[in-house]
Amino acid sequence: MKKNILKEALQNGKTVFGPFLKFTDPAVVEIMGHAGFDFVIIDQEHGPISTQNTQNMIRAAEAAGITPIVRVDKNEETSILRVLDIGAHGVEIPQINCKGDAIQAVNSVKYSPQGFRGVCRYVRAANYSSMDKFQYFESANKETMIITHIEGIKGIDNLDEILSVKGIDVIFIGPYDLSQSLGIPGKVNDPLVELKMKEVITKCRKNNIAVGTFADDTETAKFWVSLGVQYMSFSVDVGILCNACSGIFDELKNK
């Protein structure tokens, strides 16, 4: 497996930026790479992206020099295994609510002795078996990123136990799901949502774990970065296109 430059950047204290993707065309991945983003999150949880789409999008990411992360649809061994075997450099795993969820996530990503990932070296991630098998298992454990989503009050309440699980690279706060769990769906800038997110950031920084979150405007993204968020997911490809088109049309219409 290739060296994970995104993981290295986070370990060196750098801030990285990348959008979620719902379009299935690999060209979108290339565009995001050429635009200068550090990573893309290929979203299998919300949207139509299949495993085959994902594999081609990973290829496009590697060609464009941008790190491919895949958000799987659930914290389940086969879902995670499938995207790692096709070459994902990291996985975002939803709904981590307790220590047991975190342990399951790590076990699904890591080979023994760190976990119990299913073993097959005849996959794209191992260069279709042309890579030395022992080197592959070692590098996969070292380079693959684990990003766990804290998306509700239960996860925040159990954060200390979740942080005790070794192997997690990023704790990702889902602001929209968090707002829903607080009874104010969509109000991601509400003081209560911000308070809970700040609690997570403080605890993670004390434990030397990088924090990630999502923002769909640049001012909100800058705000969270100023508070210590390193893994900053900015918007979604479909939203970026929609906003750009709307802005262009408004300018044309008003002239």
Side-chain angles (χ1 to χ4, degrees):
M1 184 175 176
K2 296 179 176 65
K3 186 173 183 62
N4 194 323
I5 58 174
L6 187 71
K7 185 171 184 174
E8 183 178 53
L10 289 172
Q11 290 172 342
N12 290 334
K14 295 181 180 179
T15 303
V16 294
F17 299 88
F20 278 93
L21 302 184
K22 299 190 186 301
F23 286 125
T24 61
D25 192 332
V28 177
V29 181
E30 292 180 298
I31 290 167
M32 296 302 178
H34 295 313
F37 282 112
D38 301 292
F39 64 96
V40 290
I41 306 167
I42 301 165
D43 193 353
Q44 291 189 344
E45 184 181 19
H46 296 287
I49 298 176
S50 68
T51 301
Q52 187 168 5
N53 293 145
T54 300
Q55 180 169 254
N56 288 328
M57 294 170 81
I58 291 169
R59 288 189 176 110
E62 291 174 345
I66 187 171
T67 300
I69 305 296
V70 179
R71 174 159 74 172
V72 294
D73 60 344
K74 54 185 174 294
N75 183 15
E76 189 269 330
E77 182 179 359
T78 303
S79 296
I80 294 168
L81 175 65
R82 187 174 290 117
V83 301
L84 293 178
D85 280 354
I86 61 175
H89 291 207
V91 285
E92 292 204 17
I93 303 170
Q95 298 297 336
I96 302 300
N97 294 312
C98 63
K99 184 177 182 178
D101 291 342
I103 291 171
Q104 180 175 325
V106 173
N107 280 341
S108 296
V109 172
K110 302 290 188 180
Y111 291 115
S112 182
Q114 299 175 40
F116 304 104
R117 175 179 167 183
V119 178
C120 181
R121 56 187 287 253
Y122 300 93
V123 293
R124 182 179 181 274
N127 295 339
Y128 304 103
S129 78
S130 66
M131 185 177 183
D132 176 81
K133 59 185 175 182
F134 299 112
Q135 181 186 352
Y136 167 60
F137 299 141
E138 181 180 352
S139 65
N141 272 3
K142 180 181 177 182
E143 302 296 343
T144 304
M145 288 181 64
I146 301 175
I147 301 119
T148 55
H149 278 225
I150 304 295
E151 302 183 273
I153 290 300
K154 188 175 180 181
I156 293 176
D157 289 343
N158 293 322
L159 184 59
D160 289 329
E161 291 187 355
I162 292 169
L163 288 170
S164 73
V165 178
K166 293 183 179 181
I168 296 171
D169 296 291
V170 179
I171 295 288
F172 188 96
I173 312 165
Y176 277 94
D177 282 309
L178 177 57
S179 70
Q180 175 164 272
S181 78
L182 293 168
I184 46 174
K187 296 182 179 180
V188 294
N189 296 318
D190 187 272
L192 182 57
V193 175
E194 291 188 357
L195 176 65
K196 293 299 181 182
M197 290 178 67
K198 289 175 182 177
E199 289 178 9
V200 175
I201 293 170
T202 299
K203 285 189 176 182
C204 289
R205 287 175 65 85
K206 285 182 179 179
N207 285 272
N208 295 315
I209 299 292
V211 185
T213 194
F214 171 85
D216 44 21
D217 66 81
T218 56
E219 289 305 312
T220 300
K222 290 177 181 178
F223 172 74
W224 289 118
V225 167
S226 73
L227 293 180
V229 168
Q230 284 181 257
Y231 181 89
M232 188 69 240
S233 173
F234 177 76
S235 198
V236 183
D237 55 359
V238 294
I240 292 169
L241 178 61
C242 184
N243 288 337
C245 290
S246 295
I248 292 168
F249 180 72
D250 286 343
E251 286 189 28
L252 293 171
K253 184 175 64 175
N254 293 326
K255 285 188 177 182

